[in-house]
Amino acid sequence: LLVKERTADLSESEANLTEAQRIANFGSWKININTGEAFWSDQRYRIFGFEPGEIEPSLENFKKSLHPDDRVRVISEMMDAFKTEETLDTECRIIRPNGEERIIHIIGETSSGGDPDNQLMSGTVLDITERKIVDNELLSAKEEAEAANRAKSGFLANISHELRTPLNAVIGFSDAMRSG
């Protein structure tokens, strides 16, 4: 009876985690760097453009999904995280099977449990493509506003100069006429 209750609790907990990952659009993963074996959550598959279980979760398939221009950097950062035992925290691009490019944020932590043949990294992956698009649009709008402000300032400086020059002549001429 206790085993059935614990199994039901575990199943409910797993379903809650899966639902939370789907809603938040983040996935979880674990990779054994020595063997290349991996675990990917269902949402991790979806972020990378696959149905759960569609391809084998592996370091090699992860590498294949990375944008070619980001591949060397991301793998190097993963290896550095293992050497330094620091947290991997990086952003990169992936290419989905349909050719769509997405931007993801990866966070991973290493552990070996003292066994050098069991170097594991586990973490999360978050699709940040929409956020990056909004950030780029905001940056572009800010740059346009700054350019418009510079143009306005330049225009006012030119107008001020253009008005001052003839007014100075008029004031000088009227001073000369007044003094006789």
Side-chain angles (χ1 to χ4, degrees):
L1 182 63
L2 185 60
V3 172
K4 284 185 180 182
E5 288 176 9
R6 298 291 168 124
T7 302
D9 289 346
L10 183 60
S11 294
E12 182 180 350
S13 178
E14 192 173 299
N16 289 339
L17 176 61
T18 299
E19 186 68 8
Q21 286 187 5
R22 184 191 63 75
I23 291 168
N25 198 24
F26 82 89
S28 58
W29 51 270
K30 184 177 280 190
I31 294 177
N32 183 319
I33 295 297
N34 298 88
T35 65
E37 295 173 1
F39 159 80
W40 297 343
S41 69
D42 289 354
Q43 194 59 28
R44 192 275 184 211
Y45 275 103
R46 290 185 190 101
I47 289 170
F48 279 68
F50 297 100
E51 286 301 314
E54 187 177 339
I55 64 169
E56 178 187 350
S58 68
L59 181 58
E60 192 56 38
N61 281 331
F62 168 70
K63 288 178 187 178
K64 287 178 185 175
S65 293
L66 291 172
H67 189 285
D69 294 342
D70 294 347
R71 192 173 290 143
V72 171
R73 177 185 57 82
V74 172
I75 298 304
S76 175
E77 288 176 4
M78 286 180 75
M79 295 304 136
D80 287 347
F82 269 108
K83 290 175 189 168
T84 61
E85 296 184 1
E86 292 182 8
T87 299
L88 170 69
D89 189 343
T90 191
E91 293 179 3
C92 63
R93 296 165 294 170
I94 57 170
I95 306 293
R96 287 181 167 175
N98 65 2
E100 179 184 16
E101 185 177 303
R102 304 294 291 179
I103 304 168
I104 60 172
H105 182 204
I106 302 171
I107 299 176
E109 292 187 347
T110 62
S111 67
S112 66
D115 181 1
D117 294 330
N118 193 33
Q119 292 187 323
L120 301 175
M121 179 177 278
S122 56
T124 60
V125 60
L126 178 64
D127 186 340
I128 59 170
T129 306
E130 281 75 24
R131 186 182 86 202
K132 285 293 191 178
I133 290 170
V134 169
D135 287 351
N136 289 340
E137 288 171 354
L138 286 173
L139 182 61
S140 178
K142 178 182 176 246
E143 290 170 353
E144 286 177 21
E146 288 171 349
N149 190 36
R150 284 190 300 275
K152 176 195 68 151
S153 296
F155 174 75
L156 290 175
N158 286 338
I159 289 296
S160 174
H161 174 72
E162 294 297 328
L163 290 174
R164 235 185 347 238
T165 302
L167 284 176
N168 285 339
V170 168
I171 290 169
F173 183 67
S174 58
D175 283 346
M177 285 181 61
R178 205 173 342 142
S179 42

